[in-house]
Amino acid sequence: MQIVPPALDRLIRALSRLPGIGNKTAARLAMNILRRPRAEARELSSALSELHDAIQLCSCCFTFSEDEPCVICADSRRDGALICVVEQPGDLLAIEKTGSFHGHYHILHGVLSPMDGIGPGEIKIEELVARVRSGVVREVLIATSSTVPGEATASYLIDLLHDKGIILTRLACGIPMGMDIKYADRHTLARAIETRTNAD
Amino acid sequence: MQIVPPALDRLIRALSRLPGIGNKTAARLAMNILRRPRAEARELSSALSELHDAIQLCSCCFTFSEDEPCVICADSRRDGALICVVEQPGDLLAIEKTGSFHGHYHILHGVLSPMDGIGPGEIKIEELVARVRSGVVREVLIATSSTVPGEATASYLIDLLHDKGIILTRLACGIPMGMDIKYADRHTLARAIETRTNAD
């Protein structure tokens, strides 16, 4: 006997495919959707159904975009000679929120991870090299995550680009703003000491 | 300048209306959906769009159901004289999973919470009284949560039903199965001592 109605079960199964959403959370979300106005479910449904049609990857920087090229690549006020390399479009959004970067981006769509079968051919590295070879690039800021695969990808990129006559930079590592030093992990603290900056 | 494409932003806003899903989680989910096969988004979209059409409340017990009455109310092998009162359809599923209950249910769709403006008229209490009055009910098992509003709702129901000539029961409170006694909170332990059972 199926206690969960099939239509509800179908939604629960579809929701539980999302990352970080297990069966219990999916059931809770689905029942909540059912209890709320029908218009909200319809809005979510329609946003989902138009998503893939509306959005492609920008052919230049490979971020998600409805325009070609994307609004950042098309913005003449931004510095096209400075490229920030990030893993995913979400990283671009995080950097844009700072308001501190005024160049272009390059989204790798992943990191090197030989264990998972992700080599240089699986992410947008060749496309980055082509952009550098085009001659308009002055500086590449490598902003991959400070994780093992992020660092490995950064090293690979540095090896690949160090002789291309451009400036290669990385995000500074150190104590997060507002953090009490005694709560910083020792690797971060060690790095902050090694890369200490002039105080005046 | 809108960095997030409008179609993606629309999905993020729709997802962030779900309970326990903030803006950051919604953005992570939306980008994950965008990276995965279009068919998965379509499946989720279609499950959402058919949800409210397919599912109603059973007119007898008020659980979510595609059939009228629901499969439980329609099952002649179950004991219709024993009614388990729960707050939400999710509680029914949890009890069904135990396989230990073979009666019918009554879903209140909420608990009494005067602070939130939820009085007896806002949840399915009148309907429960009508079922009891119909004369077929022998026992009502009150299975509201062991929270302050759950207990208040249980007390209200007991006041309301104690003179209706039926057996009123509640779920036993005590030490969860498999729990080390030293980790039980003192209220639970006190209740377990007060309501200790015969060992033979």
Side-chain angles (χ1 to χ4, degrees), chain B residues 109-169:
Chain B
H109 285 276
V111 276
L112 296 177
S113 178
M115 301 275 282
D116 304 312
I118 300 175
E122 273 67 49
I123 61 179
K124 307 282 184 193
I125 287 184
E126 207 175 293
E127 292 83 349
L128 174 63
V129 175
R131 286 179 79 178
V132 169
R133 280 221 183 94
S134 73
V136 298
V137 179
R138 180 186 74 247
E139 177 179 347
V140 169
L141 165 55
I142 300 174
T144 52
S145 291
S146 183
T147 58
V148 172
E151 295 284 338
T153 307
S155 300
Y156 182 88
L157 291 177
I158 291 166
D159 272 0
L160 201 66
L161 299 174
H162 80 277
D163 57 356
K164 297 283 187 290
I166 53 166
I167 303 166
L168 275 177
T169 51

Side-chain angles (χ1 to χ4, degrees), chain A residues 5-7 10 17-19 31-36 38 43 45-46 49-50 52-53 64 66 88 93, chain B residues 5-7 10 17 19 31-36 38 43 45-46 49-50 52-53 64 66 88 93:
Chain A
R10 187 179 160 209
R17 275 190 219 113
L18 299 176
M31 294 211 205
N32 184 280
I33 291 169
L34 197 46
R35 270 197 296 274
R36 291 157 79 118
R38 178 185 292 246
E43 166 61 18
S45 165
S46 122
S49 73
E50 75 163 35
H52 284 80
D53 289 326
F64 294 136
E66 290 187 28
Q88 297 290 359
L93 297 182
Chain B
R10 187 178 160 210
R17 275 191 219 111
M31 294 209 204
N32 185 280
I33 291 169
L34 197 45
R35 271 198 294 275
R36 291 157 79 119
R38 179 185 289 244
E43 166 61 17
S45 164
S46 122
S49 73
E50 75 162 34
H52 283 80
D53 289 326
F64 294 136
E66 292 188 26
Q88 296 291 358
L93 297 182

Side-chain angles (χ1 to χ4, degrees), chain B residues 17-35:
Chain B
R17 275 191 219 111
L18 298 177
I21 297 198
N23 249 319
K24 277 197 175 176
T25 307
R28 187 172 57 82
L29 290 176
M31 294 209 204
N32 185 280
I33 291 169
L34 197 45
R35 271 198 294 275

Side-chain angles (χ1 to χ4, degrees), chain A residues 13 15 30 33 37 43 46 50 57 68 71 77 86 88 104 108 118 120 122 140-141 152-153 160 167 170 179 183 193:
Chain A
R13 275 184 288 114
L15 284 171
I33 291 169
E43 166 61 18
S46 122
E50 75 163 35
L57 298 187
E68 173 52 35
V71 284
R77 290 162 305 174
V86 294
Q88 297 290 359
H104 286 199
L108 294 173
I118 300 174
E122 273 67 49
V140 169
L141 165 56
T153 306
L160 202 65
I167 302 165
R170 301 210 45 193
M179 189 187 226
Y183 298 130
I193 294 166

Side-chain angles (χ1 to χ4, degrees), chain A residues 1-6 31, chain B residues 56-86 88-107 131:
Chain A
M1 190 167 62
Q2 174 146 30
I3 302 295
V4 182
M31 294 211 205
Chain B
Q56 307 72 202
L57 299 186
C58 168
S59 66
C60 178
C61 73
F62 302 100
T63 193
F64 294 136
S65 176
E66 292 188 26
D67 306 301
E68 174 53 32
C70 72
V71 284
I72 293 176
C73 288
D75 186 347
S76 60
R77 289 163 305 175
R78 299 186 72 122
D79 181 0
L82 170 58
I83 294 182
C84 176
V85 180
V86 294
Q88 296 291 358
D91 302 323
L92 177 157
L93 297 182
I95 292 177
E96 279 301 294
K97 271 192 200 138
T98 67
S100 293
F101 182 75
H102 306 287
H104 286 200
Y105 289 91
H106 188 90
I107 322 290
R131 286 179 79 178

